[in-house]
PDB file of all heavy atoms in Angstrom:
ATOM      1  N   VAL A 225      12.667  -7.619  -2.924  1.00  0.00           N
ATOM      2  CA  VAL A 225      12.044  -7.709  -1.610  1.00  0.00           C
ATOM      3  C   VAL A 225      11.160  -6.480  -1.444  1.00  0.00           C
ATOM      4  O   VAL A 225      11.605  -5.350  -1.656  1.00  0.00           O
ATOM      5  CB  VAL A 225      13.100  -7.768  -0.485  1.00  0.00           C
ATOM      6  CG1 VAL A 225      12.427  -7.710   0.889  1.00  0.00           C
ATOM      7  CG2 VAL A 225      13.947  -9.025  -0.618  1.00  0.00           C
ATOM      8  N   VAL A 226       9.896  -6.711  -1.085  1.00  0.00           N
ATOM      9  CA  VAL A 226       8.984  -5.608  -0.813  1.00  0.00           C
ATOM     10  C   VAL A 226       9.177  -5.200   0.649  1.00  0.00           C
ATOM     11  O   VAL A 226       9.431  -6.038   1.506  1.00  0.00           O
ATOM     12  CB  VAL A 226       7.511  -5.996  -1.099  1.00  0.00           C
ATOM     13  CG1 VAL A 226       7.007  -7.064  -0.156  1.00  0.00           C
ATOM     14  CG2 VAL A 226       6.607  -4.781  -1.075  1.00  0.00           C
ATOM     15  N   TRP A 227       9.092  -3.903   0.912  1.00  0.00           N
ATOM     16  CA  TRP A 227       9.240  -3.403   2.273  1.00  0.00           C
ATOM     17  C   TRP A 227       8.227  -2.288   2.499  1.00  0.00           C
ATOM     18  O   TRP A 227       7.723  -1.683   1.550  1.00  0.00           O
ATOM     19  CB  TRP A 227      10.663  -2.894   2.531  1.00  0.00           C
ATOM     20  CG  TRP A 227      11.064  -1.730   1.656  1.00  0.00           C
ATOM     21  CD1 TRP A 227      11.617  -1.802   0.389  1.00  0.00           C
ATOM     22  CD2 TRP A 227      10.910  -0.348   1.948  1.00  0.00           C
ATOM     23  NE1 TRP A 227      11.813  -0.535  -0.102  1.00  0.00           N
ATOM     24  CE2 TRP A 227      11.390   0.380   0.837  1.00  0.00           C
ATOM     25  CE3 TRP A 227      10.417   0.358   3.043  1.00  0.00           C
ATOM     26  CZ2 TRP A 227      11.400   1.768   0.790  1.00  0.00           C
ATOM     27  CZ3 TRP A 227      10.424   1.745   2.996  1.00  0.00           C
ATOM     28  CH2 TRP A 227      10.913   2.428   1.871  1.00  0.00           C
ATOM     29  N   GLY A 228       7.917  -2.052   3.746  1.00  0.00           N
ATOM     30  CA  GLY A 228       6.980  -0.990   4.051  1.00  0.00           C
ATOM     31  C   GLY A 228       7.024  -0.586   5.510  1.00  0.00           C
ATOM     32  O   GLY A 228       7.368  -1.395   6.377  1.00  0.00           O
ATOM     33  N   VAL A 229       6.701   0.659   5.750  1.00  0.00           N
ATOM     34  CA  VAL A 229       6.592   1.215   7.088  1.00  0.00           C
ATOM     35  C   VAL A 229       5.287   2.004   7.112  1.00  0.00           C
ATOM     36  O   VAL A 229       5.060   2.855   6.251  1.00  0.00           O
ATOM     37  CB  VAL A 229       7.776   2.145   7.430  1.00  0.00           C
ATOM     38  CG1 VAL A 229       7.648   2.683   8.838  1.00  0.00           C
ATOM     39  CG2 VAL A 229       9.107   1.433   7.233  1.00  0.00           C
ATOM     40  N   LEU A 230       4.428   1.704   8.090  1.00  0.00           N
ATOM     41  CA  LEU A 230       3.122   2.343   8.165  1.00  0.00           C
ATOM     42  C   LEU A 230       3.013   3.231   9.407  1.00  0.00           C
ATOM     43  O   LEU A 230       3.525   2.883  10.469  1.00  0.00           O
ATOM     44  CB  LEU A 230       2.015   1.292   8.206  1.00  0.00           C
ATOM     45  CG  LEU A 230       2.001   0.285   7.060  1.00  0.00           C
ATOM     46  CD1 LEU A 230       0.893  -0.723   7.259  1.00  0.00           C
ATOM     47  CD2 LEU A 230       1.878   0.970   5.722  1.00  0.00           C
ATOM     48  N   SER A 231       2.303   4.325   9.255  1.00  0.00           N
ATOM     49  CA  SER A 231       2.053   5.244  10.361  1.00  0.00           C
ATOM     50  C   SER A 231       0.940   4.705  11.247  1.00  0.00           C
ATOM     51  O   SER A 231       0.035   4.014  10.764  1.00  0.00           O
ATOM     52  CB  SER A 231       1.639   6.604   9.798  1.00  0.00           C
ATOM     53  OG  SER A 231       1.077   7.413  10.801  1.00  0.00           O
ATOM     54  N   ASP A 232       0.969   5.055  12.510  1.00  0.00           N
ATOM     55  CA  ASP A 232      -0.112   4.625  13.392  1.00  0.00           C
ATOM     56  C   ASP A 232      -1.393   5.420  13.157  1.00  0.00           C
ATOM     57  O   ASP A 232      -2.441   5.090  13.678  1.00  0.00           O
ATOM     58  CB  ASP A 232       0.306   4.685  14.867  1.00  0.00           C
ATOM     59  CG  ASP A 232       0.494   6.089  15.396  1.00  0.00           C
ATOM     60  OD1 ASP A 232       0.451   7.042  14.604  1.00  0.00           O
ATOM     61  OD2 ASP A 232       0.701   6.220  16.606  1.00  0.00           O
ATOM     62  N   SER A 233      -1.324   6.452  12.323  1.00  0.00           N
ATOM     63  CA  SER A 233      -2.518   7.231  11.999  1.00  0.00           C
ATOM     64  C   SER A 233      -3.062   6.900  10.610  1.00  0.00           C
ATOM     65  O   SER A 233      -3.824   7.670  10.037  1.00  0.00           O
ATOM     66  CB  SER A 233      -2.213   8.727  12.102  1.00  0.00           C
ATOM     67  OG  SER A 233      -1.185   9.084  11.201  1.00  0.00           O
ATOM     68  N   ILE A 234      -2.724   5.734  10.086  1.00  0.00           N
ATOM     69  CA  ILE A 234      -3.118   5.344   8.735  1.00  0.00           C
ATOM     70  C   ILE A 234      -4.634   5.183   8.618  1.00  0.00           C
ATOM     71  O   ILE A 234      -5.218   5.540   7.616  1.00  0.00           O
ATOM     72  CB  ILE A 234      -2.346   4.094   8.293  1.00  0.00           C
ATOM     73  CG1 ILE A 234      -2.325   4.002   6.786  1.00  0.00           C
ATOM     74  CG2 ILE A 234      -2.898   2.835   8.924  1.00  0.00           C
ATOM     75  CD1 ILE A 234      -1.277   3.078   6.250  1.00  0.00           C
ATOM     76  N   GLY A 235      -5.276   4.636   9.635  1.00  0.00           N
ATOM     77  CA  GLY A 235      -6.740   4.540   9.714  1.00  0.00           C
ATOM     78  C   GLY A 235      -7.411   4.062   8.446  1.00  0.00           C
ATOM     79  O   GLY A 235      -7.000   3.097   7.813  1.00  0.00           O
ATOM     80  N   ALA A 236      -8.477   4.768   8.077  1.00  0.00           N
ATOM     81  CA  ALA A 236      -9.309   4.375   6.946  1.00  0.00           C
ATOM     82  C   ALA A 236      -8.595   4.489   5.606  1.00  0.00           C
ATOM     83  O   ALA A 236      -9.046   3.923   4.617  1.00  0.00           O
ATOM     84  CB  ALA A 236     -10.582   5.221   6.928  1.00  0.00           C
ATOM     85  N   THR A 237      -7.473   5.190   5.553  1.00  0.00           N
ATOM     86  CA  THR A 237      -6.738   5.313   4.281  1.00  0.00           C
ATOM     87  C   THR A 237      -6.045   4.005   3.915  1.00  0.00           C
ATOM     88  O   THR A 237      -5.542   3.875   2.806  1.00  0.00           O
ATOM     89  CB  THR A 237      -5.698   6.443   4.343  1.00  0.00           C
ATOM     90  OG1 THR A 237      -4.761   6.158   5.371  1.00  0.00           O
ATOM     91  CG2 THR A 237      -6.364   7.777   4.597  1.00  0.00           C
ATOM     92  N   MET A 238      -6.039   3.041   4.819  1.00  0.00           N
ATOM     93  CA  MET A 238      -5.383   1.755   4.537  1.00  0.00           C
ATOM     94  C   MET A 238      -5.974   1.094   3.298  1.00  0.00           C
ATOM     95  O   MET A 238      -5.253   0.473   2.527  1.00  0.00           O
ATOM     96  CB  MET A 238      -5.497   0.838   5.757  1.00  0.00           C
ATOM     97  CG  MET A 238      -4.735  -0.446   5.616  1.00  0.00           C
ATOM     98  SD  MET A 238      -2.959  -0.117   5.484  1.00  0.00           S
ATOM     99  CE  MET A 238      -2.390  -1.720   4.978  1.00  0.00           C
ATOM    100  N   THR A 239      -7.268   1.231   3.080  1.00  0.00           N
ATOM    101  CA  THR A 239      -7.897   0.629   1.901  1.00  0.00           C
ATOM    102  C   THR A 239      -7.308   1.210   0.622  1.00  0.00           C
ATOM    103  O   THR A 239      -6.971   0.469  -0.303  1.00  0.00           O
ATOM    104  CB  THR A 239      -9.425   0.837   1.930  1.00  0.00           C
ATOM    105  OG1 THR A 239      -9.926   0.236   3.117  1.00  0.00           O
ATOM    106  CG2 THR A 239     -10.094   0.217   0.721  1.00  0.00           C
ATOM    107  N   LEU A 240      -7.153   2.526   0.577  1.00  0.00           N
ATOM    108  CA  LEU A 240      -6.563   3.166  -0.609  1.00  0.00           C
ATOM    109  C   LEU A 240      -5.113   2.733  -0.788  1.00  0.00           C
ATOM    110  O   LEU A 240      -4.670   2.464  -1.915  1.00  0.00           O
ATOM    111  CB  LEU A 240      -6.635   4.689  -0.477  1.00  0.00           C
ATOM    112  CG  LEU A 240      -8.024   5.301  -0.413  1.00  0.00           C
ATOM    113  CD1 LEU A 240      -7.944   6.775  -0.048  1.00  0.00           C
ATOM    114  CD2 LEU A 240      -8.738   5.109  -1.732  1.00  0.00           C
ATOM    115  N   ILE A 241      -4.386   2.667   0.295  1.00  0.00           N
ATOM    116  CA  ILE A 241      -2.980   2.277   0.228  1.00  0.00           C
ATOM    117  C   ILE A 241      -2.866   0.823  -0.222  1.00  0.00           C
ATOM    118  O   ILE A 241      -2.020   0.487  -1.055  1.00  0.00           O
ATOM    119  CB  ILE A 241      -2.293   2.542   1.579  1.00  0.00           C
ATOM    120  CG1 ILE A 241      -2.190   4.062   1.787  1.00  0.00           C
ATOM    121  CG2 ILE A 241      -0.926   1.872   1.657  1.00  0.00           C
ATOM    122  CD1 ILE A 241      -1.831   4.494   3.173  1.00  0.00           C
ATOM    123  N   HIS A 242      -3.718  -0.027   0.290  1.00  0.00           N
ATOM    124  CA  HIS A 242      -3.719  -1.443  -0.120  1.00  0.00           C
ATOM    125  C   HIS A 242      -3.927  -1.563  -1.635  1.00  0.00           C
ATOM    126  O   HIS A 242      -3.200  -2.294  -2.307  1.00  0.00           O
ATOM    127  CB  HIS A 242      -4.813  -2.208   0.634  1.00  0.00           C
ATOM    128  CG  HIS A 242      -5.001  -3.600   0.162  1.00  0.00           C
ATOM    129  ND1 HIS A 242      -4.156  -4.623   0.530  1.00  0.00           N
ATOM    130  CD2 HIS A 242      -5.912  -4.153  -0.682  1.00  0.00           C
ATOM    131  CE1 HIS A 242      -4.553  -5.738  -0.056  1.00  0.00           C
ATOM    132  NE2 HIS A 242      -5.611  -5.472  -0.793  1.00  0.00           N
ATOM    133  N   ARG A 243      -4.887  -0.849  -2.149  1.00  0.00           N
ATOM    134  CA  ARG A 243      -5.164  -0.897  -3.604  1.00  0.00           C
ATOM    135  C   ARG A 243      -3.966  -0.426  -4.419  1.00  0.00           C
ATOM    136  O   ARG A 243      -3.637  -1.001  -5.457  1.00  0.00           O
ATOM    137  CB  ARG A 243      -6.392  -0.069  -3.934  1.00  0.00           C
ATOM    138  CG  ARG A 243      -7.667  -0.695  -3.453  1.00  0.00           C
ATOM    139  CD  ARG A 243      -8.864   0.154  -3.811  1.00  0.00           C
ATOM    140  NE  ARG A 243     -10.062  -0.409  -3.223  1.00  0.00           N
ATOM    141  CZ  ARG A 243     -11.084   0.311  -2.794  1.00  0.00           C
ATOM    142  NH1 ARG A 243     -11.064   1.630  -2.911  1.00  0.00           N
ATOM    143  NH2 ARG A 243     -12.132  -0.269  -2.268  1.00  0.00           N
ATOM    144  N   GLU A 244      -3.312   0.640  -3.952  1.00  0.00           N
ATOM    145  CA  GLU A 244      -2.149   1.169  -4.663  1.00  0.00           C
ATOM    146  C   GLU A 244      -0.988   0.174  -4.633  1.00  0.00           C
ATOM    147  O   GLU A 244      -0.310  -0.050  -5.643  1.00  0.00           O
ATOM    148  CB  GLU A 244      -1.720   2.510  -4.067  1.00  0.00           C
ATOM    149  CG  GLU A 244      -0.557   3.166  -4.777  1.00  0.00           C
ATOM    150  CD  GLU A 244      -0.869   3.626  -6.188  1.00  0.00           C
ATOM    151  OE1 GLU A 244      -2.053   3.752  -6.561  1.00  0.00           O
ATOM    152  OE2 GLU A 244       0.104   3.873  -6.932  1.00  0.00           O
ATOM    153  N   VAL A 245      -0.763  -0.452  -3.499  1.00  0.00           N
ATOM    154  CA  VAL A 245       0.315  -1.447  -3.390  1.00  0.00           C
ATOM    155  C   VAL A 245       0.018  -2.640  -4.300  1.00  0.00           C
ATOM    156  O   VAL A 245       0.899  -3.105  -5.026  1.00  0.00           O
ATOM    157  CB  VAL A 245       0.516  -1.889  -1.920  1.00  0.00           C
ATOM    158  CG1 VAL A 245       1.461  -3.079  -1.830  1.00  0.00           C
ATOM    159  CG2 VAL A 245       1.029  -0.726  -1.080  1.00  0.00           C
ATOM    160  N   ARG A 246      -1.224  -3.122  -4.300  1.00  0.00           N
ATOM    161  CA  ARG A 246      -1.600  -4.236  -5.199  1.00  0.00           C
ATOM    162  C   ARG A 246      -1.328  -3.869  -6.660  1.00  0.00           C
ATOM    163  O   ARG A 246      -0.813  -4.677  -7.431  1.00  0.00           O
ATOM    164  CB  ARG A 246      -3.065  -4.613  -5.019  1.00  0.00           C
ATOM    165  CG  ARG A 246      -3.312  -5.554  -3.865  1.00  0.00           C
ATOM    166  CD  ARG A 246      -4.729  -6.103  -3.917  1.00  0.00           C
ATOM    167  NE  ARG A 246      -4.872  -7.124  -4.919  1.00  0.00           N
ATOM    168  CZ  ARG A 246      -4.734  -8.426  -4.702  1.00  0.00           C
ATOM    169  NH1 ARG A 246      -4.421  -8.866  -3.517  1.00  0.00           N
ATOM    170  NH2 ARG A 246      -4.889  -9.290  -5.670  1.00  0.00           N
ATOM    171  N   ARG A 247      -1.696  -2.645  -7.019  1.00  0.00           N
ATOM    172  CA  ARG A 247      -1.499  -2.198  -8.410  1.00  0.00           C
ATOM    173  C   ARG A 247      -0.019  -2.172  -8.764  1.00  0.00           C
ATOM    174  O   ARG A 247       0.393  -2.654  -9.813  1.00  0.00           O
ATOM    175  CB  ARG A 247      -2.123  -0.804  -8.600  1.00  0.00           C
ATOM    176  CG  ARG A 247      -2.086  -0.329 -10.051  1.00  0.00           C
ATOM    177  CD  ARG A 247      -2.580   1.096 -10.186  1.00  0.00           C
ATOM    178  NE  ARG A 247      -1.642   2.063  -9.656  1.00  0.00           N
ATOM    179  CZ  ARG A 247      -0.502   2.416 -10.245  1.00  0.00           C
ATOM    180  NH1 ARG A 247      -0.127   1.863 -11.374  1.00  0.00           N
ATOM    181  NH2 ARG A 247       0.280   3.333  -9.692  1.00  0.00           N
ATOM    182  N   ARG A 248       0.799  -1.640  -7.866  1.00  0.00           N
ATOM    183  CA  ARG A 248       2.238  -1.546  -8.141  1.00  0.00           C
ATOM    184  C   ARG A 248       2.895  -2.921  -8.176  1.00  0.00           C
ATOM    185  O   ARG A 248       3.799  -3.160  -8.970  1.00  0.00           O
ATOM    186  CB  ARG A 248       2.911  -0.617  -7.149  1.00  0.00           C
ATOM    187  CG  ARG A 248       2.510   0.840  -7.410  1.00  0.00           C
ATOM    188  CD  ARG A 248       3.178   1.804  -6.485  1.00  0.00           C
ATOM    189  NE  ARG A 248       2.666   3.139  -6.690  1.00  0.00           N
ATOM    190  CZ  ARG A 248       3.265   4.077  -7.417  1.00  0.00           C
ATOM    191  NH1 ARG A 248       4.410   3.812  -8.016  1.00  0.00           N
ATOM    192  NH2 ARG A 248       2.733   5.272  -7.533  1.00  0.00           N
ATOM    193  N   LEU A 249       2.446  -3.839  -7.326  1.00  0.00           N
ATOM    194  CA  LEU A 249       2.982  -5.200  -7.362  1.00  0.00           C
ATOM    195  C   LEU A 249       2.603  -5.899  -8.667  1.00  0.00           C
ATOM    196  O   LEU A 249       3.404  -6.644  -9.233  1.00  0.00           O
ATOM    197  CB  LEU A 249       2.474  -6.012  -6.173  1.00  0.00           C
ATOM    198  CG  LEU A 249       3.044  -5.640  -4.808  1.00  0.00           C
ATOM    199  CD1 LEU A 249       2.304  -6.383  -3.707  1.00  0.00           C
ATOM    200  CD2 LEU A 249       4.538  -5.906  -4.737  1.00  0.00           C
ATOM    201  N   ALA A 250       1.403  -5.646  -9.151  1.00  0.00           N
ATOM    202  CA  ALA A 250       0.925  -6.293 -10.378  1.00  0.00           C
ATOM    203  C   ALA A 250       1.737  -5.884 -11.597  1.00  0.00           C
ATOM    204  O   ALA A 250       1.891  -6.685 -12.531  1.00  0.00           O
ATOM    205  CB  ALA A 250      -0.551  -5.975 -10.601  1.00  0.00           C
ATOM    206  N   VAL A 251       2.264  -4.675 -11.617  1.00  0.00           N
ATOM    207  CA  VAL A 251       3.017  -4.210 -12.787  1.00  0.00           C
ATOM    208  C   VAL A 251       4.531  -4.291 -12.596  1.00  0.00           C
ATOM    209  O   VAL A 251       5.285  -3.957 -13.511  1.00  0.00           O
ATOM    210  CB  VAL A 251       2.612  -2.762 -13.190  1.00  0.00           C
ATOM    211  CG1 VAL A 251       1.138  -2.703 -13.537  1.00  0.00           C
ATOM    212  CG2 VAL A 251       2.963  -1.770 -12.095  1.00  0.00           C
ATOM    213  N   ALA A 252       4.960  -4.745 -11.425  1.00  0.00           N
ATOM    214  CA  ALA A 252       6.404  -4.860 -11.173  1.00  0.00           C
ATOM    215  C   ALA A 252       7.017  -5.883 -12.129  1.00  0.00           C
ATOM    216  O   ALA A 252       6.411  -6.903 -12.437  1.00  0.00           O
ATOM    217  CB  ALA A 252       6.654  -5.263  -9.723  1.00  0.00           C
TER     218      ALA A 252
END
């Protein structure tokens, strides 16, 4: 099960975080 908690100040860094999560899911 994937889980996550995001800060309300994530802002523009969401794009970088999205890419990192996609990468980690791809190699899981």
Side-chain angles (χ1 to χ4, degrees):
V225 174
V226 66
W227 62 273
V229 181
L230 304 178
S231 166
D232 69 352
S233 60
I234 202 163
T237 61
M238 186 64 192
T239 301
L240 297 170
I241 291 167
H242 173 79
R243 289 180 185 147
E244 182 67 17
V245 170
R246 277 191 76 93
R247 186 186 72 74
R248 289 182 186 261
L249 289 172
V251 300

